[in-house]
Amino acid sequence: MLGLNTAVIRKGYKLFAMNGPDAKRGRRMLGCFAIATRDGFKIFDSDTGRLCYERAIGAYTIVEMLFSSSLLAIVGAGEQPSLSPRRICLFNTTTGTALRELNFLTSILAIRMNWKRLVVVLQDKAYVYDINSLTILDTIDTVLNLKGLCAFSPSLDGCFLALPASTTRGSVLLYNVMELHSHCEIDAHRAPLAAMALSSNGMYIATASEQGTIIRVHLVSEATKSFSFRRGTYPSTIFSLSFGPSMEIPDILVATSSSGSVHAFSLRFGITQRSRRSSGFLGSIIPESVTDALDKANHDVLHNAAPAGVKSYAVIRKVDGVADSSTSETLACRATISMLTYNGYFQEYTLSIKNQDEFSWSLEREFYLLSDEAICS
């Protein structure tokens, strides 16, 4: 998973990017994240809250890191003539120099990168570049996408870009970024999309509509629904979705919402239940779409993680299996979840899942990014 992006963070923060697993090298990244402010951009160590890098040169709206490398793609807020929201600057934090620039006719709303591709999302187009030569490879015409909603899987073996395919329904266009062609279109929701995320290996896509009551997970290769989770009964805005890192089926999916809660869904136990159900009498006569509705939620909620209405974004940094010492069988999993809120806090939680009904959360650390010193809990 490459990272997180959004716009207009309160108290001067504009956008942040949090690194994830390096899909090419197959290793866990050092924990760090970048934020853009009215004065410039900063990079923090997510384990200590220490400020690792700072450049105060004006207001920015986008900072996107290329995995754990020193390469950033940055976009200005337009408050200074030299920092146009229509210009991308590729910036090297090691040398402190700008490498290349790209200019566009309208404001840049999102950027995604891996070791081979650079994707730029505008309000009605997306451009695909070779990241080494900055040669344009393809232009994707899209529906009006004023929020720059997109999802990206950085794996070179399953590199997909997801974009809204409709302004009236929750349809998703999936585009193969390495092979440069449209892969499929998925009609995921009745209402327009509010959030989506691809697993790091490109196998699954999770979506939520503007209603925010149902989160669906589809298998990308076959464009078929695999899971349908109920977040709640009342509408809520889903701010972010994140899969746990995995080379196969992700263990966990998390979502943040306008209620201030963090929702965790266990895909692993959902698969186990489905396997048991399909071998039984009901599983043989009830269609899958119906049995999805009969599934237990495999769902837990951490309430009041952020103030209601304050935007928040979360990523699952790590998932470990927990084995039974007597049998060496994996009985549970433990996830490390990092969250950044628009009122200036960075939080890291440990989520332990023993079975479909036993979830436990623990706040490991908390940093207040608007002060000179991090506040650790």
Side-chain angles (χ1 to χ4, degrees), residues 193-210:
L193 295 169
M196 53 186 174
L198 280 156
S199 60
S200 60
N201 57 12
M203 289 181 63
Y204 290 91
I205 182 168
T207 58
S209 76
E210 292 178 351

mmCIF file of all heavy atoms in Angstrom, residues 193-210:
data_model
loop_
_atom_site.group_PDB
_atom_site.id
_atom_site.type_symbol
_atom_site.label_atom_id
_atom_site.label_comp_id
_atom_site.label_asym_id
_atom_site.label_seq_id
_atom_site.Cartn_x
_atom_site.Cartn_y
_atom_site.Cartn_z
ATOM 1 N N LEU A 193 -19.492 6.999 -4.904
ATOM 2 C CA LEU A 193 -18.397 6.561 -4.045
ATOM 3 C C LEU A 193 -17.902 7.684 -3.143
ATOM 4 O O LEU A 193 -17.863 8.845 -3.536
ATOM 5 C CB LEU A 193 -17.239 6.054 -4.892
ATOM 6 C CG LEU A 193 -17.489 4.793 -5.721
ATOM 7 C CD1 LEU A 193 -16.348 4.591 -6.706
ATOM 8 C CD2 LEU A 193 -17.639 3.577 -4.823
ATOM 9 N N ALA A 194 -17.500 7.303 -1.933
ATOM 10 C CA ALA A 194 -16.885 8.240 -0.997
ATOM 11 C C ALA A 194 -15.457 7.840 -0.667
ATOM 12 O O ALA A 194 -14.631 8.684 -0.347
ATOM 13 C CB ALA A 194 -17.701 8.326 0.292
ATOM 14 N N ALA A 195 -15.148 6.535 -0.711
ATOM 15 C CA ALA A 195 -13.805 6.058 -0.367
ATOM 16 C C ALA A 195 -13.556 4.721 -1.040
ATOM 17 O O ALA A 195 -14.498 3.954 -1.297
ATOM 18 C CB ALA A 195 -13.657 5.913 1.151
ATOM 19 N N MET A 196 -12.300 4.447 -1.328
ATOM 20 C CA MET A 196 -11.925 3.133 -1.866
ATOM 21 C C MET A 196 -10.452 2.894 -1.606
ATOM 22 O O MET A 196 -9.674 3.834 -1.400
ATOM 23 C CB MET A 196 -12.245 3.018 -3.355
ATOM 24 C CG MET A 196 -11.707 4.098 -4.246
ATOM 25 S SD MET A 196 -12.358 3.872 -5.937
ATOM 26 C CE MET A 196 -11.737 5.358 -6.717
ATOM 27 N N ALA A 197 -10.083 1.620 -1.588
ATOM 28 C CA ALA A 197 -8.691 1.231 -1.347
ATOM 29 C C ALA A 197 -8.426 -0.092 -2.045
ATOM 30 O O ALA A 197 -9.298 -0.975 -2.072
ATOM 31 C CB ALA A 197 -8.411 1.092 0.141
ATOM 32 N N LEU A 198 -7.245 -0.223 -2.605
ATOM 33 C CA LEU A 198 -6.783 -1.479 -3.184
ATOM 34 C C LEU A 198 -5.805 -2.140 -2.229
ATOM 35 O O LEU A 198 -5.031 -1.451 -1.549
ATOM 36 C CB LEU A 198 -6.096 -1.232 -4.527
ATOM 37 C CG LEU A 198 -7.020 -1.030 -5.730
ATOM 38 C CD1 LEU A 198 -6.298 -0.246 -6.815
ATOM 39 C CD2 LEU A 198 -7.504 -2.374 -6.274
ATOM 40 N N SER A 199 -5.844 -3.467 -2.170
ATOM 41 C CA SER A 199 -4.816 -4.164 -1.404
ATOM 42 C C SER A 199 -3.479 -3.959 -2.099
ATOM 43 O O SER A 199 -3.411 -3.695 -3.304
ATOM 44 C CB SER A 199 -5.151 -5.649 -1.277
ATOM 45 O OG SER A 199 -5.235 -6.255 -2.551
ATOM 46 N N SER A 200 -2.392 -4.067 -1.336
ATOM 47 C CA SER A 200 -1.074 -3.740 -1.881
ATOM 48 C C SER A 200 -0.685 -4.622 -3.059
ATOM 49 O O SER A 200 0.068 -4.199 -3.935
ATOM 50 C CB SER A 200 -0.013 -3.837 -0.782
ATOM 51 O OG SER A 200 0.019 -5.147 -0.244
ATOM 52 N N ASN A 201 -1.229 -5.852 -3.118
ATOM 53 C CA ASN A 201 -0.910 -6.740 -4.229
ATOM 54 C C ASN A 201 -1.911 -6.631 -5.379
ATOM 55 O O ASN A 201 -1.802 -7.352 -6.365
ATOM 56 C CB ASN A 201 -0.845 -8.189 -3.743
ATOM 57 C CG ASN A 201 -2.134 -8.634 -3.069
ATOM 58 O OD1 ASN A 201 -3.154 -7.955 -3.146
ATOM 59 N ND2 ASN A 201 -2.092 -9.777 -2.409
ATOM 60 N N GLY A 202 -2.902 -5.746 -5.257
ATOM 61 C CA GLY A 202 -3.862 -5.541 -6.322
ATOM 62 C C GLY A 202 -4.927 -6.608 -6.439
ATOM 63 O O GLY A 202 -5.695 -6.614 -7.409
ATOM 64 N N MET A 203 -5.036 -7.510 -5.457
ATOM 65 C CA MET A 203 -6.020 -8.587 -5.542
ATOM 66 C C MET A 203 -7.433 -8.128 -5.194
ATOM 67 O O MET A 203 -8.408 -8.615 -5.769
ATOM 68 C CB MET A 203 -5.622 -9.745 -4.630
ATOM 69 C CG MET A 203 -4.426 -10.538 -5.103
ATOM 70 S SD MET A 203 -4.034 -11.918 -3.990
ATOM 71 C CE MET A 203 -5.529 -12.899 -4.132
ATOM 72 N N TYR A 204 -7.557 -7.201 -4.238
ATOM 73 C CA TYR A 204 -8.871 -6.820 -3.739
ATOM 74 C C TYR A 204 -9.035 -5.306 -3.745
ATOM 75 O O TYR A 204 -8.061 -4.559 -3.582
ATOM 76 C CB TYR A 204 -9.068 -7.332 -2.305
ATOM 77 C CG TYR A 204 -9.219 -8.829 -2.215
ATOM 78 C CD1 TYR A 204 -8.099 -9.643 -2.029
ATOM 79 C CD2 TYR A 204 -10.465 -9.435 -2.328
ATOM 80 C CE1 TYR A 204 -8.226 -11.024 -1.953
ATOM 81 C CE2 TYR A 204 -10.601 -10.808 -2.246
ATOM 82 C CZ TYR A 204 -9.483 -11.592 -2.067
ATOM 83 O OH TYR A 204 -9.614 -12.954 -2.005
ATOM 84 N N ILE A 205 -10.293 -4.876 -3.918
ATOM 85 C CA ILE A 205 -10.626 -3.469 -3.777
ATOM 86 C C ILE A 205 -11.786 -3.342 -2.802
ATOM 87 O O ILE A 205 -12.761 -4.101 -2.867
ATOM 88 C CB ILE A 205 -10.983 -2.821 -5.134
ATOM 89 C CG1 ILE A 205 -11.280 -1.321 -4.925
ATOM 90 C CG2 ILE A 205 -12.133 -3.536 -5.837
ATOM 91 C CD1 ILE A 205 -11.362 -0.524 -6.209
ATOM 92 N N ALA A 206 -11.661 -2.415 -1.862
ATOM 93 C CA ALA A 206 -12.727 -2.106 -0.902
ATOM 94 C C ALA A 206 -13.322 -0.756 -1.270
ATOM 95 O O ALA A 206 -12.604 0.169 -1.644
ATOM 96 C CB ALA A 206 -12.169 -2.068 0.517
ATOM 97 N N THR A 207 -14.645 -0.649 -1.146
ATOM 98 C CA THR A 207 -15.334 0.587 -1.512
ATOM 99 C C THR A 207 -16.393 0.926 -0.472
ATOM 100 O O THR A 207 -16.951 0.056 0.192
ATOM 101 C CB THR A 207 -16.020 0.461 -2.886
ATOM 102 O OG1 THR A 207 -16.951 -0.634 -2.848
ATOM 103 C CG2 THR A 207 -15.005 0.229 -3.994
ATOM 104 N N ALA A 208 -16.686 2.218 -0.367
ATOM 105 C CA ALA A 208 -17.788 2.715 0.455
ATOM 106 C C ALA A 208 -18.465 3.838 -0.320
ATOM 107 O O ALA A 208 -17.793 4.626 -1.000
ATOM 108 C CB ALA A 208 -17.293 3.214 1.801
ATOM 109 N N SER A 209 -19.772 3.935 -0.206
ATOM 110 C CA SER A 209 -20.509 4.983 -0.900
ATOM 111 C C SER A 209 -20.712 6.173 0.020
ATOM 112 O O SER A 209 -20.293 6.178 1.179
ATOM 113 C CB SER A 209 -21.867 4.448 -1.370
ATOM 114 O OG SER A 209 -22.765 4.347 -0.274
ATOM 115 N N GLU A 210 -21.385 7.193 -0.475
ATOM 116 C CA GLU A 210 -21.676 8.370 0.328
ATOM 117 C C GLU A 210 -22.607 8.054 1.493
ATOM 118 O O GLU A 210 -22.660 8.814 2.460
ATOM 119 C CB GLU A 210 -22.271 9.464 -0.557
ATOM 120 C CG GLU A 210 -21.265 10.037 -1.555
ATOM 121 C CD GLU A 210 -21.869 11.087 -2.459
ATOM 122 O OE1 GLU A 210 -23.120 11.250 -2.420
ATOM 123 O OE2 GLU A 210 -21.114 11.748 -3.192
#
